[in-house]
Amino acid sequence: QVQLVESGGGSVQAGGSLRLSCAASGMSSIDHMAWYRQAPGNQREWVAEVRSGVRMHYREAVKGRFTISIDNAKNIMYLQMNNLKPEDTGVYYCNYPDIPYLYPSGPGTQVIVSP
């Protein structure tokens, strides 16, 4: 069974950086995966994705600030987040592109960005 574990979140001031990790087990490859986030009171929203290991797509609000990458040898996906803004605050999850609940949800990792 697929298991996802997100980590790397924290509390930073606006303009700071964080690097999130998504460790996947129970799957042969992590080259088709997405990052989502959920702010308090909001639905989970798509942030970025990698398809076939080479095509990266980003939410308009994070373009130029977030970079997604994968380590297929370790089955880990990363999200480098730079120039963070308060509106980036939320719990970040990884899961299948287009289907945020296809795999059992991981614990998520909390990101808090203060002004």
Side-chain angles (χ1 to χ4, degrees):
Q1 185 178 0
V2 172
Q3 185 175 21
L4 303 171
V5 179
E6 302 90 351
S7 62
S11 184
V12 298
Q13 289 189 321
S17 298
L18 287 170
R19 189 195 194 201
L20 308 185
S21 299
C22 165
S25 59
M27 60 172 63
S28 59
S29 172
I30 199 167
D31 62 358
H32 211 76
M33 193 65 72
W35 282 102
Y36 300 88
R37 67 188 178 193
Q38 188 165 13
N42 290 359
Q43 289 189 333
R44 195 167 295 191
E45 65 181 18
W46 172 82
V47 175
E49 68 184 29
V50 54
R51 292 182 184 258
S52 302
V54 293
R55 299 198 310 272
M56 282 70 167
H57 303 101
Y58 300 91
R59 187 178 191 85
E60 192 65 35
V62 308
K63 280 183 181 178
R65 301 189 295 121
F66 290 12
T67 303
I68 198 169
S69 61
I70 58 173
D71 183 336
N72 264 318
K74 297 180 180 179
N75 257 17
I76 298 177
M77 176 177 67
Y78 301 98
L79 185 69
Q80 177 66 44
M81 306 189 298
N82 297 328
N83 191 21
L84 282 160
K85 302 178 179 181
E87 52 263 42
D88 296 319
T89 293
V91 180
Y92 283 68
Y93 301 89
C94 53
N95 217 297
Y96 196 81
D98 298 326
I99 311 175
Y101 298 99
L102 178 68
Y103 302 127
S105 211
T109 187
Q110 175 80 59
V111 172
I112 299 173
V113 185
S114 56

